[in-house]
Amino acid sequence: MSVENTSLDQFLKLPVLFEHFKEHQERDPKVNLLDFLSMHYWGQDLDDNDNARDMQLPFKKVNTSTQQVLYARFSQVPQIIAAEQIIPQTFTAYKDQYHPAPDLTSPFRPPCA
């Protein structure tokens, strides 16, 4: 199973995995996480009449999706024509009157008469 065949929505089912593990521990406190995973994914599941709940676990049902790619052959190579458009911009000249003199904002300034 490769990454391309899995879907991220399976990771959203992880809380169900832990809830179901807790349910199994309530029935049999000796079941650890490795036993639980082995039972549901790698081995023979117990006949405990919770098959519907087991199928809610992540990666129990694999969602497959197919992608179709269409290749088109052109008799002529499509040409992209770039259109130039000139946008006139006017820039105002920099004027010092818009910025206060640094002497006026300084706490140490010469005395005024």
Side-chain angles (χ1 to χ4, degrees), residues 53-104:
R53 181 73 166 155
D54 291 346
M55 296 312 286
Q56 294 174 354
L57 295 174
F59 300 105
K60 283 299 260 190
K61 292 189 260 180
V62 179
N63 299 334
T64 59
S65 61
T66 59
Q67 295 178 352
Q68 296 181 355
V69 180
L70 175 67
Y71 292 100
R73 238 177 117 180
F74 294 106
S75 58
Q76 291 182 340
V77 178
Q79 295 180 355
I80 299 173
I81 301 170
E84 287 186 24
Q85 185 177 10
I86 299 173
I87 301 172
Q89 288 184 335
T90 56
F91 296 100
T92 57
Y94 174 75
K95 296 182 180 175
D96 286 336
Q97 70 187 15
Y98 298 123
H99 299 287
D103 298 343
L104 297 176

Side-chain angles (χ1 to χ4, degrees), residues 8-99:
L8 293 176
D9 66 330
Q10 295 297 315
F11 290 106
L12 297 175
K13 295 180 181 181
L14 280 176
V16 176
L17 179 90
F18 294 113
E19 288 173 9
H20 192 52
F21 171 61
K22 192 175 175 182
E23 292 166 2
H24 271 274
Q25 275 197 324
E26 288 173 358
R27 280 187 255 154
D28 184 9
K30 292 183 242 173
V31 174
N32 61 17
L33 184 61
L34 190 59
D35 293 336
F36 172 78
L37 292 175
S38 175
M39 180 188 328
H40 286 87
Y41 289 101
W42 307 304
Q44 190 70 7
D45 193 5
L46 298 176
D47 189 17
D48 52 1
N49 297 326
D50 67 344
N51 194 30
R53 181 73 166 155
D54 291 346
M55 296 312 286
Q56 294 174 354
L57 295 174
F59 300 105
K60 283 299 260 190
K61 292 189 260 180
V62 179
N63 299 334
T64 59
S65 61
T66 59
Q67 295 178 352
Q68 296 181 355
V69 180
L70 175 67
Y71 292 100
R73 238 177 117 180
F74 294 106
S75 58
Q76 291 182 340
V77 178
Q79 295 180 355
I80 299 173
I81 301 170
E84 287 186 24
Q85 185 177 10
I86 299 173
I87 301 172
Q89 288 184 335
T90 56
F91 296 100
T92 57
Y94 174 75
K95 296 182 180 175
D96 286 336
Q97 70 187 15
Y98 298 123
H99 299 287

